[in-house]
Amino acid sequence: MAAVTLGPEGTYSHRATSAIADNGEIDFRQSVTAIVDAVAAGEYDRGVIPIENSIEGSVTESLDAIAEYDVAVVREIVTPIRHALLAQGPEFDTIASHSQALAQCRSYLEREYPDATLEAVASTAQGVEFARDDPSVAGIGHPANADGDGLEVLAEDIQDQDSNATRFFALAPADERSTGGGKTSLVVYPNANYPGLLLELLEPFADRDINLTRVESRPSGQRLGDYVFHIDFEAGLYESRTQEAIADLEELAENGWVRRLGSYDTEHVVE
C-alpha cells in the first residue's frame, strides 16, 4: 500500500503513517494540500494528514483541503506527541520547527529561551534537519530524531501539556468511502446565513441521540461571513439515525451541499 504524508522522514505524520503502510512504502510532500490532491488524483492508496491537536486545536490547512477535494476518510490515527529540544550543542540563537510544535512548547520556550528567534518551517523534521546542518539552530521534534551523528537531546517532553496528542486522518480515493465504523465526518456548506442556522444544523443529531465530537466552522472563501462546517460524530453512516440526520441536513443545505467523508474506526499508536 503506497502512502504519502508530510515530510521529510521523521515527522510525527511519518510515525502515524507507518501504522498503516504495511510494506513501508511512504512518500513525502511538503504541504497538506499536496497530499490531499495526490490522493484525490489516485496517485496513492493512502494519505495521512494531521487534523487536530489536543493543545492547539484543528489544523486549518487540513480542514480546507478536505473540504475542497473529494476524498474519503478511512481511519483515524491518534498518536502522543513528545517534543524534545535537539541541537548540536547548548549554544544556538534560533529554534526552528513546525508552527504547531512551537505553539505547543510556548511556555517552555518563553521560560528557557526568551531571546531565541523562533522560526516556523514546514515540519518538525525539517527543523531538525536545519539543526543538524547549522550549529546556531535548534530543532523541536521527537527524541528519536536525534539518532545519528551530530545532534544532542538537550531537553525532553518540553510540550506544555503532558497529554499532548494529535489526531490524523488516513485518506483514500473517494470510491473507497466506507459506511461502517464508530465515527463519521461530514463537511456541510449551507450557503445561507440567518439567525438560528447553527442550531438547526445541530438539532438533527441531538434529536437522534448522536454525540458530536467536533464542530468547527471555516470561511467558505465565497464571501465574508459565509462558512463551511466540519462535523464529527459517534455513529456510522450505515445507521438509520445517521441517514435520517443527514437527510435533514441536506434539506437545510438545499442551496449548498453536504459531503460524507466516510465512517471509520480509531487506532491509537503508542510508542
Side-chain angles (χ1 to χ4, degrees):
M1 179 184 295
V4 60
T5 193
L6 284 172
E9 185 174 348
T11 61
Y12 286 100
S13 295
H14 182 202
R15 302 178 74 84
T17 306
S18 297
I20 66 165
D22 299 332
N23 60 4
E25 185 181 343
I26 301 174
D27 289 338
F28 300 103
R29 294 289 187 274
Q30 292 303 308
S31 74
V32 166
T33 303
I35 294 166
V36 181
D37 180 44
V39 173
E43 296 175 23
Y44 291 91
D45 301 310
R46 296 290 184 268
V48 175
I49 61 171
I51 200 73
E52 182 182 16
N53 177 262
S54 60
I55 297 176
E56 285 301 303
S58 295
V59 181
T60 55
E61 184 186 1
S62 296
L63 297 183
D64 294 343
I66 61 176
E68 179 180 356
Y69 292 89
D70 189 15
V71 292
V73 177
V74 295
R75 195 183 306 186
E76 176 184 76
I77 305 165
V78 179
T79 183
I81 303 298
R82 290 187 56 215
H83 286 317
L85 186 67
L86 311 174
Q88 295 185 32
E91 301 298 326
F92 53 84
D93 52 34
T94 299
I95 301 173
S97 194
H98 190 277
S99 58
Q100 283 238 346
L102 293 171
Q104 291 160 21
C105 303
R106 184 180 295 114
S107 296
Y108 172 85
L109 297 177
E110 289 177 351
R111 182 178 68 250
E112 299 294 334
Y113 298 97
D115 298 325
T117 299
L118 304 184
E119 180 179 347
V121 296
S123 67
T124 55
Q126 187 176 75
V128 172
E129 284 190 348
F130 289 165
R132 201 181 300 276
D133 294 336
D134 187 344
S136 70
V137 176
I140 294 174
H142 192 278
N145 290 157
D147 292 349
D149 297 330
L151 286 183
E152 301 177 26
V153 178
L154 300 183
E156 291 192 43
D157 294 320
I158 64 173
Q159 63 272 6
D160 294 343
Q161 302 290 336
D162 291 338
S163 59
N164 190 8
T166 294
R167 296 172 62 214
F168 296 86
F169 275 170
L171 307 178
D175 60 6
E176 292 190 40
R177 188 171 292 121
S178 173
T179 62
K183 294 182 71 174
T184 297
S185 291
L186 306 176
V187 185
V188 182
Y189 177 51
N191 195 18
N193 184 18
Y194 54 83
L197 171 62
L198 181 57
L199 176 62
E200 290 184 4
L201 292 175
L202 302 183
E203 281 180 334
F205 300 98
D207 291 346
R208 295 169 177 84
D209 198 30
I210 298 174
N211 184 44
L212 300 180
T213 57
R214 184 173 63 92
V215 178
E216 188 144 359
S217 61
R218 289 289 299 154
S220 69
Q222 301 299 314
R223 56 190 177 271
L224 191 64
D226 191 48
Y227 293 96
V228 171
F229 296 91
H230 292 258
I231 301 175
D232 296 347
F233 55 88
E234 293 179 331
L237 283 169
Y238 69 92
E239 297 184 48
S240 59
R241 58 175 181 162
T242 301
Q243 296 166 16
E244 293 167 2
I246 292 176
D248 287 353
L249 286 183
E250 289 176 327
E251 286 188 22
L252 292 168
E254 61 179 350
N255 295 322
W257 45 262
V258 176
R259 178 173 298 159
R260 299 158 176 80
L261 294 176
S263 296
Y264 50 86
D265 290 320
T266 301
E267 178 175 341
H268 292 267
V269 176
V270 180
E271 300 167 275

